[in-house]
Structures are given as C-alpha cells and as structure tokens.
Amino acid sequence: MMDKKLKKITLIYHITIIFLALFSVLLVLCSLFHWLSIVTYPYNYIHNGGLIIFAIDYVIRFIYAHDKKHFLIENSFDLLGIIPMHPLFVFFRLGRVVRILRAHRIFVVLGIDGAFTGSIHKFIYSTGFIYLFSISVAILILSALLYSVVEKISLSNALWWAITTATTVGYGDIYPHTFIGKIIASILMIGGIGFIGLLTSTITDFFTFNKEAKENTVNQNELKELMSSIDQLSKKVDHLSDQVNRLTKQKKNTNHRNR
C-alpha cells in the first residue's frame, strides 16, 4: 500500500518537474522574442521561483544520492540549468525531463527508445563529452564572472565575450580595457580554446568512429553473404562430384559385364 502511495507521489512530483521545466523554457523563449520580459513583474518572480525550485530539487537529490560522483556526472546538465548566469541556461533543464521520461519508459511506449537514445547516451557519457563540456562551461562561466567584475559590464555581455573569445570568433564588439581584463582574456584564450578544441575533436571522432563502424558492419555482412554463397557453391560442387563418381562407377560396371 505504501509502495503504491510512494509511486503515486513520485509520479505527481515528476509531472510537476516536467511542467516547470517546459514552462521555464517557454518563458525564456517568449522573452527572447520580446513577447514578454523576464526581468519585469510578475515574470521575474516566476523565473526566479523556478530557479529556486530546481536548485532545491538538485540539492535534495544530491544529498540522498548513494554515489555522489555518479550523480554529479549524470546530472551535469541539471547543475548547469540552475546557474543564474544567462536565461538560456534553462534549456539544460530539458535533460531532467528526458531522464524522467526514460525512467518511466515513456520512450519505449512511444517506440523511440533503443539504438537512437542509446547512441545519444553513449555519446554524452562514454566518450567523455560530458566531462569536457562541463569543464569548458565552467571555464567560460568563471572567466565571464571575473571579466564582468573587472570590466564592469553585465554578466550576459561578459558571457557573450567569453564564448566568442574561446571559440576564436572574436567579433571585437567587446574587448578588455584593463590590465587584469587582458590577463583574464589571455588565460581564457589558452585554457578555453584547448578544452573547446578537445570538445569538437571528441564530437568529430565519435561520428567518424560510428561511420567506420557502420562501414565495417556492412563489409562484415557482405563477407558473410559471400562466405555463405561459397559454402552453397561448394556443396553443389560436392554433390555434382558425387554424381560424376557414381556415373563413372556405373559405366565401369557396365563395361565389365559386357566383357
């Protein structure tokens, strides 16, 4: 009885989290299209309230997690989703939605689970993408925070500067004016570019490996078909050889009798 009640409470809680995650994403999208502003009343309270709820949810789950290291790895996107750095960070909350749906086997019911979702999970965790991505984001956020304080600009603009600098795009619309700001930029150029380079290399290697694996699979299938054809041909040759031998014996016997 208690198990059913607990499952029901968990289901209601998960549905609430999914609704809040989707609603927060929709709120930010509306703000991006200037249909509303999340910095004005009452949307600022709604936006900040959602941030607090997801932060509490993350902390509680972390406290009760048996394997803290595994939790941090599996829920890296959740941590990014509660960073009040930029409104677009709420899109990381969709990772929580995906895990809830997988836990309730919704993808299986919809028929979209299996090789596709398995490949995504393998790409994120098995290739080390999640580690490199988390480190890259941490470097960008830390650099943007320091740059914002030193150069006295908004966090959003500082984050934009950090991204354009680390990706070597460098539009030049924002650049350091102070000595400390130049030092931060230099560190970001060296460290950020290195990790983002590894990140893009990991993505490239994954798709290249998958392409080669598919080609090898195709070649193996072709080889199996060829071996099967050779085996069938060999059986036919053996059968034909047996028939020839029988005919030869019959001819010898016939000639012997005639003598």
Side-chain angles (χ1 to χ4, degrees), residues 114-132:
F116 177 71
T117 54
S119 297
I120 293 176
H121 189 274
K122 180 182 177 182
F123 168 67
I124 293 176
Y125 298 104
S126 301
T127 61
F129 173 84
I130 190 66
Y131 301 102
L132 292 172

Side-chain angles (χ1 to χ4, degrees), residues 17-238:
I17 290 294
I18 290 174
F19 172 77
L20 290 175
L22 296 177
F23 182 76
S24 61
V25 170
L26 179 62
L27 197 67
V28 170
L29 284 174
C30 291
S31 179
L32 290 175
F33 286 103
H34 304 290
W35 295 337
L36 53 85
S37 177
I38 57 175
V39 297
T40 59
Y41 179 84
Y43 303 110
N44 56 342
Y45 285 95
I46 297 173
H47 179 69
N48 293 330
L51 178 64
I52 293 171
I53 291 172
F54 279 98
I56 294 173
D57 169 72
Y58 181 87
V59 172
I60 292 175
R61 289 189 295 120
F62 176 76
I63 292 172
Y64 285 97
H66 296 292
D67 189 344
K68 299 291 192 294
K69 181 180 178 181
H70 180 75
F71 177 87
L72 290 173
I73 295 172
E74 287 284 336
N75 297 273
S76 298
F77 288 163
D78 291 0
L79 181 60
L80 295 173
I82 60 176
I83 296 176
M85 187 75 184
H86 193 279
L88 288 178
F89 275 64
V90 301
F91 284 92
F92 288 111
R93 298 175 189 174
L94 296 176
R96 178 93 163 100
V97 174
V98 172
R99 281 195 305 280
I100 291 174
L101 294 177
R102 289 195 70 179
H104 290 281
R105 301 181 66 81
I106 302 299
F107 291 132
V108 176
V109 175
L110 296 176
I112 57 177
D113 197 21
F116 177 71
T117 54
S119 297
I120 293 176
H121 189 274
K122 180 182 177 182
F123 168 67
I124 293 176
Y125 298 104
S126 301
T127 61
F129 173 84
I130 190 66
Y131 301 102
L132 292 172
F133 183 79
S134 300
I135 293 172
S136 299
V137 171
I139 291 174
L140 290 174
I141 291 173
L142 181 61
S143 300
L145 284 171
L146 295 174
Y147 190 85
S148 174
V149 173
V150 171
E151 297 291 331
K152 295 180 176 57
I153 62 175
S154 65
L155 285 174
S156 298
N157 287 332
L159 183 62
W160 168 252
W161 165 83
I163 293 172
T164 56
T165 300
T167 54
T168 68
V169 175
Y171 286 110
D173 52 343
I174 303 174
Y175 54 91
H177 297 83
T178 64
F179 177 73
I180 299 177
K182 292 177 181 179
I183 293 176
I184 295 171
S186 300
I187 295 172
L188 177 61
M189 290 174 192
I190 297 171
I193 292 172
F195 277 102
I196 289 178
L198 288 173
L199 191 66
T200 54
S201 176
T202 300
I203 297 172
T204 304
D205 289 343
F206 175 78
F207 286 105
T208 303
F209 175 79
N210 276 358
K211 182 180 179 181
E212 290 178 353
K214 288 180 179 178
E215 289 177 353
N216 289 335
T217 302
V218 171
N219 291 335
Q220 288 179 0
N221 291 334
E222 291 178 350
L223 182 61
K224 287 180 180 178
E225 291 178 358
L226 179 61
M227 293 300 294
S228 177
S229 300
I230 293 173
D231 186 56
Q232 291 178 2
L233 182 61
S234 178
K235 289 179 180 179
K236 290 180 179 179
V237 170
D238 290 340

Side-chain angles (χ1 to χ4, degrees), residues 233-247:
L233 182 61
S234 178
K235 289 179 180 179
K236 290 180 179 179
V237 170
D238 290 340
H239 179 69
L240 182 61
S241 178
D242 291 338
Q243 288 182 336
V244 170
N245 289 332
R246 282 199 301 268
L247 290 173

Side-chain angles (χ1 to χ4, degrees), residues 246-259:
R246 282 199 301 268
L247 290 173
T248 303
K249 288 180 180 180
Q250 288 177 0
K251 185 177 181 181
K252 286 181 178 179
N253 292 332
T254 302
N255 292 336
H256 183 71
R257 289 173 184 173
N258 290 334
R259 289 179 184 176

